Amino acid sequence: MTSASFHPTITLPASLCEQAAQHLEQAVQRAVDGAAAPWRAFRRAESSDYTLSVSVVEQAAASLLVLAAESAQSMRPSALRALISVALHLRDAADATRRPTFTTTLW
């Protein structure tokens, strides 16, 4: 396996995946570009212990933020906050995979 074919994965909490799948379904219904692939991946994630490709998680977060921007005027504030919260949790989880881990050992 070459490094070019390696796709880092992340395991997310079940509740976050379920919420993301619901919001992504709304994004697909509103024809948000790029929402269909992550929606399908999140729907299938239950069978794989909620393990997803980091790139799919990033794409899902971006799609949800687009959905939030497009529907901000028509959504209840609480629903908009929930949508943005899920998107930011996904983005933060993806970002966390790129941060170096710190060790507690001294030089």
Side-chain angles (χ1 to χ4, degrees), residues 63-100:
S63 295
L64 293 181
L65 290 173
V66 169
L67 175 63
E70 288 182 357
S71 57
Q73 297 297 318
S74 62
M75 289 182 87
R76 293 184 335 267
S78 60
L80 184 61
R81 278 192 301 275
L83 172 59
I84 292 171
S85 175
V86 170
L88 294 179
H89 277 91
L90 293 175
R91 187 193 66 186
D92 291 348
D95 286 346
T97 63
R98 290 182 173 71
R99 287 187 215 130

Side-chain angles (χ1 to χ4, degrees), residues 8-13 16 54-55 57-58 61 87-102:
T9 59
I10 185 169
T11 302
L12 298 171
L16 179 60
V54 172
S55 62
V57 173
E58 290 172 329
L88 294 179
H89 277 91
L90 293 175
R91 187 193 66 186
D92 291 348
D95 286 346
T97 63
R98 290 182 173 71
R99 287 187 215 130
T101 55
F102 295 103

Side-chain angles (χ1 to χ4, degrees), residues 32-74:
V32 172
D33 284 340
W39 174 64
R40 286 189 299 270
F42 273 80
R43 300 281 293 169
R44 287 190 305 258
E46 184 176 317
S47 64
S48 62
D49 297 327
Y50 301 101
T51 300
L52 297 148
S53 162
V54 172
S55 62
V56 168
V57 173
E58 290 172 329
Q59 186 177 2
S63 295
L64 293 181
L65 290 173
V66 169
L67 175 63
E70 288 182 357
S71 57
Q73 297 297 318
S74 62

